[in-house]
Amino acid sequence: MITLDPAETFRQEAADLLDVLEQSLLDLEKRPGDADLVSSAFRALHTLKGSGAMFGFTAVSAFIHDFETAFDQVRKGEAAASPALIAAALQAKDHVAALIADEASADPDAGTAILAALARAIAAPAAADWLVTFRLPDNALELGTNPKLLLDEMHSLGACEILERSEPAAPVGDIDPDFLHLAWVVRLDGAVDQAAIEDVFLFIRDDMSLAIERTGGAAKSGGGEETAPAVAAPAAAARREPEAESAAAAPKDKAATLRVPAERLDELMDRVGELVIAQARLSQIAASRHDPALVGVAEDIERLTASLRDTTMGTRMVPIGTLFGRFRRLVHDLSDGLSKEVVLVTAGEETELDKTVIEQLADPLVHLIRNAMDHGIERSEAREACGKAGKATLRLSAAHRGAEVAITIADDGAGLDTARIRAKAEANGLIAPGTPLSESEIHRLIFEPGFSTAQAVTSLSGRGVGMDVVKRTIEGLRGSIDLASEPGHGTEVTLRLPLTLAIIDGLLVRVGSGRYTIPLAAVEECIELPRNADAMRGRSFLDVRGDLVPFMRLRDLFHADGEADAYQKVVVVSSGQMRVGLVVDQIIGNNQTVIKQLSRLHSGIKTFSGATILGDGTVALILDVMNLVGFGQKLEERRRETALGRAA
């Protein structure tokens, strides 16, 4: 019987509530007038306070009480959700997390300072966007009113932008020059209240038309009555940032979920893997006995095993949005720290990936995002000088591609500096000066250990360990990295990862007396090796429906014993943008492959990603297509160099 720790139960629930709070605050910074977001954040605070008191977290409850009191003024419309308030609230959320993790080690003075910052943010007039629409009396010019002076006075309150100007409705010839036919719509961004804006029009207020609205929220009209904005509110409601949906719906989504320890899921997956192996043995025995009854039972068990496997694997699949949500705060904080305006846009959050893969993706993605914001994205003034928008865009997306998931991190920054990367690589001894390399090969040098083009070591970069971590982690997950960059237009990094690390569909092949499994997701087609292939060793290319596909003989790579079969087969596989043919002696057929990791003794063998147990109890190695292709290409290059040397 498992005894649940009440404190640990609270910590698990609090983690979800803190996630909701953080996402709501980040959304609220973009949409300060969204009442649903304010309510979502307030509900999360209120639930945390009550649960904390119930489970004995008194310091948490006391701190949140003051936090909640300040935020309640926003909920009641007595204060605006200003950037200063959001920044203080995010710090308060971090302090709550520290109190929950270990109340004794949390700094009480830090909590006091955060609450003081919240109080100042509530008390100070918040910088806000105001939409001011005004039309002066027709005889304003006759009375000596100068519209330019009014606009200049508004500009003294904050940054102003004229959004539109109505043109005279009458023909030009009929316009009376003594009358004013124009109206203005001005957006004002400043830490001012509505009264300060009204004072600009103090002496002509009675005879003019004036409407003042706070963008995104309810505001008072020029007559002083509480009204809903006619323009601003609908626009704000429709202007949903593409980077994330409101966190308000999160508690609703979690109502039907059940918490299960990760260890239990891992154990269940192991049992299903053993069942798949046993089922394969049963099917092989049934096929050899030619007993219809036994074959029927074997087929039923195979069907049920496949269903159980898919269901069990489904419990391990987690939407990648749970990971993407963490990076909104990272981008928010880095934008402030680097003084760069960056918008994070996410897509494909519903894409599911094995939880084991997601857990190991956090660090690589953090390194890639930090690298893009520190090295790739320019400051606003530099972007504007190049004709770009001052605000940069960082895109984080995921999509299924066959049995893989492609995760893309793209920025619209300056792109990779090829000359600078090459010079640094030569200085570090990674390549010899003058070594002929393609642009793509030079770009991939950034993943080498210790490589960095930073001028100085900072808290973000300069030590050359980040991208190396990315490469090692992705390769450890049997994935690959695609890198593309265009000078002046940005860089795109795509991580290609298997859906699961537990069970895959494989193509079983024989090479000599050994049997090997090729991941079926990497297989494009199987063809017969031409009879004249021996005469083609100089070029090792096949003509596959008009496309030249290089091929390699696994017998040569693995030093297989015995004579090659008379009719060898070619399995055409793909890795990223490359297509390669693998020559085998025999294609045995498809099988369910339960992946078993190789021992540490064999960890340096990159050609194989693991092993599996076949139905007859023997072991088959699983080919790592990406590394195998790279190994074969290097071997082919050495052969060509040797042939050229002999010819010379």
Side-chain angles (χ1 to χ4, degrees):
M1 180 178 179
I2 298 177
T3 303
L4 296 178
D5 180 5
E8 189 58 34
T9 300
F10 168 70
R11 288 190 176 95
Q12 291 176 0
E13 294 180 352
D16 292 338
L17 290 169
L18 288 173
D19 283 344
V20 171
L21 176 61
E22 182 173 274
Q23 300 306 317
S24 298
L25 290 173
L26 292 172
D27 283 337
L28 196 58
E29 187 175 41
K30 305 297 183 183
R31 307 193 294 277
D34 194 321
D36 289 341
L37 291 174
V38 174
S39 297
S40 172
F42 189 81
R43 282 197 304 269
L45 283 173
H46 195 69
T47 304
L48 274 170
K49 183 180 75 170
S51 299
M54 182 173 64
F55 285 97
F57 289 77
T58 54
V60 172
S61 181
F63 180 83
I64 293 180
H65 175 74
D66 295 333
F67 184 3
E68 182 186 43
T69 300
F71 210 79
D72 189 39
Q73 296 185 49
V74 179
R75 186 172 67 97
K76 293 177 178 178
E78 298 172 358
S82 65
L85 176 64
I86 298 299
L90 286 170
Q91 291 180 347
K93 174 262 173 186
D94 292 341
H95 186 68
V96 171
L99 287 172
I100 292 173
D102 188 357
E103 184 176 315
S105 64
D107 184 2
D109 294 336
T112 303
I114 291 170
L115 292 176
L118 278 171
R120 289 194 300 270
I122 290 293
D129 283 344
W130 295 94
L131 200 65
V132 182
T133 305
F134 68 94
R135 182 183 181 90
L136 300 177
D138 291 344
N139 61 346
L141 297 179
E142 288 184 338
L143 297 175
T145 302
N146 188 341
K148 183 179 183 301
L149 296 178
L150 297 174
L151 292 172
D152 289 343
E153 189 172 352
M154 288 183 63
H155 191 273
S156 68
L157 300 177
C160 284
E161 178 185 2
I162 298 177
L163 299 181
E164 66 179 63
R165 183 180 64 187
S166 61
E167 296 297 334
V172 176
D174 297 336
I175 293 177
D176 188 339
D178 294 330
F179 281 79
L180 187 64
H181 299 269
L182 303 179
W184 286 266
V185 179
V186 180
R187 182 165 62 204
L188 170 65
D189 185 10
V192 296
D193 55 20
Q194 184 169 323
I197 301 174
E198 292 176 344
D199 286 347
V200 173
F201 306 95
L202 180 63
F203 298 105
I204 55 173
R205 178 69 188 89
D206 294 337
D207 299 323
M208 68 175 293
S209 172
L210 174 65
I212 304 172
E213 301 168 355
R214 184 189 294 274
T215 303
K220 291 184 180 180
S221 68
E225 297 179 358
E226 291 285 345
T227 61
V231 175
R239 222 171 27 244
R240 297 288 177 181
E241 290 290 338
E243 60 208 63
E245 293 295 328
S246 169
K252 186 189 303 181
D253 295 339
K254 296 181 180 179
T257 60
L258 176 67
R259 291 186 181 275
V260 178
E263 294 78 9
R264 289 190 176 182
L265 290 179
D266 293 337
E267 185 178 352
L268 177 60
M269 196 71 242
D270 289 340
R271 297 293 179 269
V272 171
E274 298 299 328
L275 179 61
V276 169
I277 294 173
Q279 175 267 315
R281 293 188 62 189
L282 176 61
S283 297
Q284 188 168 346
I285 293 172
S288 64
R289 296 290 179 87
H290 304 290
D291 184 341
L294 183 59
V295 170
V297 171
E299 289 176 350
D300 288 342
I301 293 179
E302 182 179 1
R303 175 177 53 81
L304 293 172
T305 301
S307 177
L308 179 61
R309 178 208 64 194
D310 293 342
T311 302
T312 305
M313 289 177 62
T315 62
R316 293 169 56 98
M317 306 302 282
V318 180
I320 204 167
T322 59
L323 180 63
F324 282 4
R326 306 179 196 176
F327 303 125
R328 298 184 61 210
R329 177 69 183 278
L330 174 66
V331 172
H332 174 276
D333 292 347
L334 287 176
S335 296
D336 291 340
L338 296 170
S339 300
K340 296 179 180 180
E341 290 188 79
V342 182
V343 174
L344 176 65
V345 178
T346 60
E349 294 96 329
E350 70 284 352
T351 304
E352 291 187 335
L353 197 58
D354 190 290
K355 72 172 187 66
T356 307
V357 179
I358 283 185
E359 288 169 358
Q360 298 184 53
L361 272 181
D363 283 347
L365 288 177
V366 166
H367 286 303
L368 288 170
I369 290 172
R370 288 161 64 106
N371 196 67
M373 294 192 65
D374 191 22
H375 296 294
I377 293 175
E378 319 94 324
R379 294 183 184 273
S380 297
E381 55 270 19
R383 293 176 59 85
E384 291 171 353
C386 297
K388 297 182 181 180
K391 184 177 291 187
T393 300
L394 182 66
R395 298 183 181 276
L396 186 58
S397 61
H400 281 116
R401 295 181 184 174
E404 291 183 331
V405 169
I407 301 172
T408 302
I409 304 94
D411 65 75
D412 61 352
L416 296 177
D417 189 334
T418 305
R420 189 176 176 186
I421 294 173
R422 184 184 185 99
K424 192 71 174 181
E426 291 178 351
N428 291 353
L430 295 176
I431 59 173
T435 302
L437 293 175
S438 66
E439 188 175 75
S440 176
E441 290 172 328
I442 294 174
H443 289 168
R444 297 192 71 83
L445 291 173
I446 67 174
F447 294 106
E448 293 299 318
F451 184 87
S452 175
T453 57
Q455 301 290 347
V457 175
T458 67
S459 59
L460 287 180
S461 61
R463 301 191 184 276
V465 295
M467 302 304 280
D468 178 36
V469 169
V470 173
K471 180 183 178 183
R472 285 189 284 107
T473 303
I474 299 305
E475 288 182 349
L477 293 171
R478 302 200 325 274
S480 61
I481 304 175
D482 293 340
L483 179 63
S485 182
E486 184 178 354
H489 292 83
T491 303
E492 180 177 287
V493 180
T494 301
L495 311 179
R496 300 180 182 277
L497 297 157
L499 281 175
T500 179
L501 300 179
I503 300 176
I504 62 172
D505 289 320
L507 181 68
L508 189 63
V509 300
R510 181 178 61 81
V511 179
S513 59
R515 287 183 287 180
Y516 305 90
T517 294
I518 304 174
L520 200 59
V523 177
E524 291 194 356
E525 60 182 312
C526 300
I527 59 178
E528 189 168 316
L529 184 67
R531 299 297 297 273
N532 63 342
D534 289 336
M536 300 165 58
R537 284 188 178 272
R539 54 190 180 94
S540 297
F541 278 91
L542 292 176
D543 185 348
V544 181
R545 292 184 297 279
D547 292 334
L548 288 179
V549 178
F551 71 89
M552 64 187 73
R553 301 170 186 271
L554 295 187
R555 292 185 62 86
D556 295 342
L557 293 179
F558 299 156
H559 303 288
D561 54 358
E563 293 293 329
D565 283 22
Y567 299 96
Q568 290 183 296
K569 306 296 187 292
V570 181
V571 181
V572 180
V573 297
S574 60
S575 176
Q577 302 299 320
M578 296 181 293
R579 297 176 71 211
V580 177
L582 305 178
V583 180
V584 302
D585 288 327
Q586 181 186 4
I587 296 175
I588 300 174
N590 297 353
N591 70 332
Q592 295 294 321
T593 302
V594 179
I595 299 173
K596 302 292 184 181
Q597 297 300 319
L598 299 177
S599 68
R600 292 185 179 180
L601 181 64
H602 302 90
S603 60
I605 304 176
K606 301 299 184 182
T607 309
F608 306 108
S609 60
T612 187
I613 301 175
L614 301 177
D616 59 2
T618 59
V619 174
L621 294 173
I622 302 170
L623 301 184
D624 188 318
V625 172
M626 181 186 66
N627 284 299
L628 183 62
V629 168
F631 176 76
Q633 287 182 331
K634 291 179 181 178
L635 184 62
E636 186 67 25
E637 288 172 3
R638 288 198 295 269
R639 285 177 177 171
R640 291 179 182 175
E641 291 173 0
T642 302
L644 289 174
R646 289 174 181 172

